[in-house]
Amino acid sequence: MRGPAHWLLGVVVLVLTSGSPGYAGENEAPAPSFVVGDTWKYKNSYGKYTESVVELGESDRAVFARSYEPNARFLIDRDLTVRKIEGKPKRDATNYLNWQFIKFPAAPGLTFTYKIEFQKWTFALEVKAVAWEEIEVPAGKFRALRMESCWTNETTGWYGCDMKHWYAPDARAFIKRQTPSDWSKDVQKLDFELDSFTPGTR
């Protein structure tokens, strides 16, 4: 016959196994809450560039301006993914649309997959949240969640892992990206670090 101790153990097991692993309290990063005027300055191999929130939309979406695409505006959803472009970007729109490297709420243990059409190729991506780390970039030190992704080019058969992005809740953005050394040099040159973050006025 099962006694109170057995019943209590069952409750504990149920609590510990319900939901996604590690999704509680300070271990979890909620979706960022943007403010018009939020401005991020980044640097990569090509130099410095700026992104800023110019308008707030519905359903936690925001419209971003990017200095390297002065003739376009980017509609960003709550998962920091570009879902729509207004205007005429200089680069092919597939360079920006639907690439996703985090899903909120985010915490170690999160995984998700998706596919994307990029120019003449189809990519399948697997993304996972690995660990919280203290990361220092020119903008300062941040507590950041390391996201890692594996890419499969379903058109050519190429496969690569260990692309890293670090998301810092205090900066409301990714603060660093690191591409594996055996990937394309063109991709590596787009790796970035946050140079500064200026929050807008609420």
Side-chain angles (χ1 to χ4, degrees):
M1 183 174 179
R2 297 183 176 184
H6 189 95
W7 175 84
L8 180 60
L9 176 62
V11 171
V12 171
V13 171
L14 177 62
V15 169
L16 292 176
T17 58
S18 295
S20 300
Y23 280 35
E26 296 181 357
N27 203 37
E28 179 181 280
S33 179
F34 295 118
V35 176
V36 172
D38 284 348
T39 301
W40 301 263
K41 293 184 179 180
Y42 293 94
K43 64 178 183 178
N44 62 19
S45 296
Y46 295 100
K48 295 186 178 182
Y49 60 94
T50 300
E51 299 189 1
S52 58
V53 177
V54 295
E55 183 181 330
L56 297 179
E58 298 179 356
S59 302
D60 297 324
R61 296 192 176 198
V63 179
F64 276 58
R66 294 175 169 177
S67 61
Y68 52 87
E69 288 287 6
N71 299 317
R73 302 203 313 172
F74 300 82
L75 182 64
I76 309 291
D77 70 10
R78 68 187 304 276
D79 293 320
L80 307 182
T81 304
V82 177
R83 296 303 186 188
K84 183 180 179 181
I85 300 176
E86 299 174 345
K88 296 182 178 180
K90 294 182 292 185
R91 300 180 70 194
D92 188 312
T94 60
N95 284 283
Y96 308 117
L97 286 169
N98 302 319
W99 294 94
Q100 183 173 356
F101 296 100
I102 197 165
K103 182 179 289 188
F104 296 104
L110 167 72
T111 61
F112 61 94
T113 60
Y114 68 100
K115 290 187 179 183
I116 194 165
E117 298 293 330
F118 173 63
Q119 297 179 359
K120 59 183 179 180
W121 302 297
T122 298
F123 281 94
L125 281 81
E126 179 180 1
V127 183
K128 62 181 178 180
V130 180
W132 287 99
E133 299 175 342
E134 293 294 323
I135 299 295
E136 185 170 6
V137 293
K141 290 183 178 180
F142 294 88
R143 179 174 182 263
L145 182 60
R146 187 174 89 243
M147 307 296 298
E148 296 185 0
S149 55
C150 294
W151 301 27
T152 301
N153 186 327
E154 295 189 337
T155 308
T156 67
W158 175 86
Y159 175 78
C161 273
D162 296 326
M163 166 74 84
K164 297 180 176 66
H165 289 74
W166 283 266
Y167 173 77
D170 287 348
R172 305 175 197 160
F174 290 112
I175 61 169
K176 182 176 181 178
R177 190 188 89 170
Q178 180 178 307
T179 300
S181 60
D182 58 345
W183 285 33
S184 164
K185 296 299 181 184
D186 290 336
V187 178
Q188 292 180 47
K189 288 179 180 178
L190 295 174
D191 285 352
F192 59 79
E193 289 187 330
L194 183 65
D195 208 40
S196 69
F197 168 54
T198 304
T201 302
R202 292 187 182 274

